[in-house]
């Protein structure tokens, strides 16, 4: 859940924007029932004590909800298992792992990845209106839009699998969710929604000029091509550098690497792959 032991009975959140602290202490005179009640309170504090800006708060709250849901729906089964294994006490992490295996949550972001990239928050959006995802996507789209206008870049195509998903699952046959922003174009919003953001480099390959984009999760890079040909005096990139690009012109899904969470989700176990990240993001945008 993002906590680190920093002193006797003291734990602290490791995320630089949170740094919340908790004192975990049990009085030796507590009986078994009081000890269990205090454990339950501390367990909830492991999630609620994080600040709102902390990505670990989302993971912790979700995990606790999964544990609670499993406890309510499978109470009889749990009692039977406890009776059979009364001599084998189950630890907190065992319960969390067991609960996650029975979870109906579509996407599971490993906790160690949450602080690595702010875009993972889109997958952990607990808001009823998808506001976290919408704000994150629009902020990225506005930055892309400014570069698109400066470079005159065009050429984003909607993959058939996305159109089908929007039509059959999200009841949005015209993919209107990409047209709701007043601050950026449809192309910029689509690029941001599918995990693309601006790269520091300017895109130019051969006779193609445009906007260089990257995925912060799989580190793939690709170019949103410009209709304008490259100036003959412009320096050419070395062929070796060009070969590292996934495509000369970006494709929303195919330009990601095969293992990217945006296209493959996260592995939760052997032969257990979660829903692709782009589907989670679009579902949040549709809220």
């Amino acid at each position: 859940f993002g906590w680190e032991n920093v002193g006797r009975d003291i734990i602290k959140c490791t995320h630089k924007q949170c740094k919340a602290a908790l004192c975990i202490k049990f009085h030796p005179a507590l009986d078994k029932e009081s000890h269990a009640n205090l454990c339950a309170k501390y367990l909830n504090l492991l999630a609620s004590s994080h600040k709102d800006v902390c990505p670990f708060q989302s993971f912790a709250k979700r995990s606790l909800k999964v544990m609670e849901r499993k406890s309510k729906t499978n109470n009889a089964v749990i009692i039977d298992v406890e009776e059979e294994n009364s001599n084998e006490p189950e630890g907190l992490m065992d319960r969390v792992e067991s609960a996650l295996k029975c979870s109906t949550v579509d996407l599971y972001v490993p906790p160690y990845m949450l602080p690595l990239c702010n875009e993972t928050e889109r997958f952990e959006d607990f808001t009823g209106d998808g506001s976290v995802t919408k704000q994150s996507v629009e902020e990225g789209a506005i930055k892309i839009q400014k570069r698109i206008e400066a470079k005159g870049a065009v050429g984003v195509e909607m993959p058939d699998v996305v159109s089908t998903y929007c039509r059959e699952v999200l009841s949005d046959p015209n993919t209107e969710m990409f047209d709701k922003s007043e601050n950026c174009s449809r192309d910029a919003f689509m690029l941001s929604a599918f995990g693309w953001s601006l790269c520091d480099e300017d895109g130019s390959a051969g006779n193609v000029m445009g906007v260089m984009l990257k995925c912060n999760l799989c580190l793939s890079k690709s170019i949103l091509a410009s209709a304008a040909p490259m100036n003959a005096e412009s320096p050419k990139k070395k062929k070796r550098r060009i070969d590292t690009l996934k495509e000369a012109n970006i494709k929303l899904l195919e330009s990601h690497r095969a293992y990217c969470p945006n296209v493959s989700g996260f592995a939760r176990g052997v032969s257990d792959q979660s829903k692709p990240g782009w589907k989670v993001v679009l579902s949040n945008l549709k809220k």
Side-chain angles (χ1 to χ4, degrees), residues 96-138:
V96 172
E97 182 178 358
S98 176
L100 287 173
K101 287 180 180 179
C102 298
S103 169
T104 58
V105 178
D106 290 329
L107 192 71
Y108 167 39
V109 182
Y112 62 85
M113 291 194 67
L114 289 173
L116 299 181
C117 179
N118 291 334
E119 291 175 12
T120 57
E121 296 177 3
R122 301 178 183 181
F123 306 140
E124 297 288 336
D125 188 351
F126 273 111
T127 58
D129 58 358
S131 57
V132 172
T133 301
K134 292 174 182 177
Q135 180 179 353
S136 175
V137 171
E138 180 150 3

Side-chain angles (χ1 to χ4, degrees), residues 53 168 188 197 199 218 247 267:
V53 296
E168 297 181 355
S197 60
C199 184
C218 69
E247 295 287 346

Side-chain angles (χ1 to χ4, degrees), residues 47-112:
S48 61
S49 296
H50 286 292
K51 295 181 180 179
D52 291 339
V53 296
C54 181
F56 283 111
Q57 182 191 75
S58 173
F59 171 77
K61 285 185 176 180
R62 193 224 19 223
S63 297
L64 293 179
K65 286 182 179 179
V66 171
M67 291 168 61
E68 181 181 5
R69 183 168 63 245
K70 182 194 174 187
S71 177
K72 290 180 179 179
T73 56
N74 302 309
N75 187 47
V77 177
I78 293 175
I79 292 176
D80 291 340
V81 172
E82 288 179 349
E83 290 177 351
E84 293 175 4
N85 303 287
S86 57
N87 297 325
E88 300 179 6
E90 189 179 30
L92 171 62
M93 294 312 297
D94 293 326
R95 283 188 288 152
V96 172
E97 182 178 358
S98 176
L100 287 173
K101 287 180 180 179
C102 298
S103 169
T104 58
V105 178
D106 290 329
L107 192 71
Y108 167 39
V109 182
Y112 62 85

Side-chain angles (χ1 to χ4, degrees), residues 16 54 59 64 82 105 142 150 154 158 202 212 225 258 261 266:
K16 61 182 179 180
C54 181
F59 171 77
L64 293 179
E82 288 179 349
V105 178
I142 291 174
V154 293
M158 176 76 71
D202 286 331
M212 179 74 78
F266 293 95

Side-chain angles (χ1 to χ4, degrees), residues 6-287:
V6 295
R8 184 174 181 179
D9 302 326
I10 302 295
I11 57 175
K12 187 176 182 179
C13 178
T14 57
H15 197 273
K16 61 182 179 180
Q17 294 183 347
C18 182
K19 296 185 177 180
L22 274 176
C23 176
I24 308 293
K25 192 172 184 179
F26 296 87
H27 195 280
L30 288 176
D31 57 28
K32 185 176 181 181
E33 183 179 356
S34 298
H35 189 278
N37 291 335
L38 188 56
C39 278
K41 291 183 178 180
Y42 280 141
L43 188 60
N44 289 326
L45 285 173
L46 291 178
S48 61
S49 296
H50 286 292
K51 295 181 180 179
D52 291 339
V53 296
C54 181
F56 283 111
Q57 182 191 75
S58 173
F59 171 77
K61 285 185 176 180
R62 193 224 19 223
S63 297
L64 293 179
K65 286 182 179 179
V66 171
M67 291 168 61
E68 181 181 5
R69 183 168 63 245
K70 182 194 174 187
S71 177
K72 290 180 179 179
T73 56
N74 302 309
N75 187 47
V77 177
I78 293 175
I79 292 176
D80 291 340
V81 172
E82 288 179 349
E83 290 177 351
E84 293 175 4
N85 303 287
S86 57
N87 297 325
E88 300 179 6
E90 189 179 30
L92 171 62
M93 294 312 297
D94 293 326
R95 283 188 288 152
V96 172
E97 182 178 358
S98 176
L100 287 173
K101 287 180 180 179
C102 298
S103 169
T104 58
V105 178
D106 290 329
L107 192 71
Y108 167 39
V109 182
Y112 62 85
M113 291 194 67
L114 289 173
L116 299 181
C117 179
N118 291 334
E119 291 175 12
T120 57
E121 296 177 3
R122 301 178 183 181
F123 306 140
E124 297 288 336
D125 188 351
F126 273 111
T127 58
D129 58 358
S131 57
V132 172
T133 301
K134 292 174 182 177
Q135 180 179 353
S136 175
V137 171
E138 180 150 3
E139 288 176 353
I142 291 174
K143 295 177 182 178
I144 295 175
Q145 179 64 32
K146 293 178 180 179
R147 189 70 64 85
I148 287 178
E149 292 176 349
K151 293 282 187 175
V154 293
V156 180
E157 296 183 3
M158 176 76 71
D160 291 339
V161 64
V162 175
S163 301
T164 301
Y165 182 76
C166 290
R167 181 178 64 254
E168 297 181 355
V169 179
L170 302 181
S171 300
D172 186 10
N174 299 320
T175 59
E176 296 177 353
M177 70 177 74
F178 300 116
D179 300 314
K180 293 183 177 180
S181 176
E182 299 178 354
N183 302 310
C184 58
S185 65
R186 177 184 175 89
D187 284 353
F189 198 86
M190 286 173 56
L191 288 166
S192 180
F194 284 87
W196 297 102
S197 60
L198 287 178
C199 184
D200 293 335
E201 304 175 35
D202 286 331
S204 59
N207 293 324
V208 179
M209 286 187 65
V211 178
M212 179 74 78
L213 298 165
K214 66 177 180 179
C215 171
N216 291 320
L217 294 178
C218 69
L219 304 182
S220 178
K221 295 180 181 179
S222 193
I223 294 175
L224 176 62
S226 171
M230 186 172 72
N231 191 306
E233 298 179 357
S234 299
K236 294 184 177 180
K237 298 286 183 180
K238 294 181 180 180
K239 188 177 189 302
R240 184 179 178 183
R241 173 68 188 86
I242 297 173
D243 288 343
T244 64
L245 298 177
K246 293 290 291 182
E247 295 287 346
N249 193 34
I250 193 168
K251 291 180 173 59
L252 289 177
L253 297 179
E254 294 178 15
S255 293
H256 286 287
R257 302 187 191 278
Y259 55 80
C260 182
N262 281 298
V263 296
S264 65
F266 293 95
R268 298 173 58 180
V270 179
S271 302
D272 184 9
Q273 201 77 10
S274 60
K275 179 186 292 187
W278 66 267
K279 291 185 178 180
V280 179
V281 172
L282 296 194
S283 297
N284 291 336
L285 291 175
K286 184 60 180 174
K287 290 182 181 178

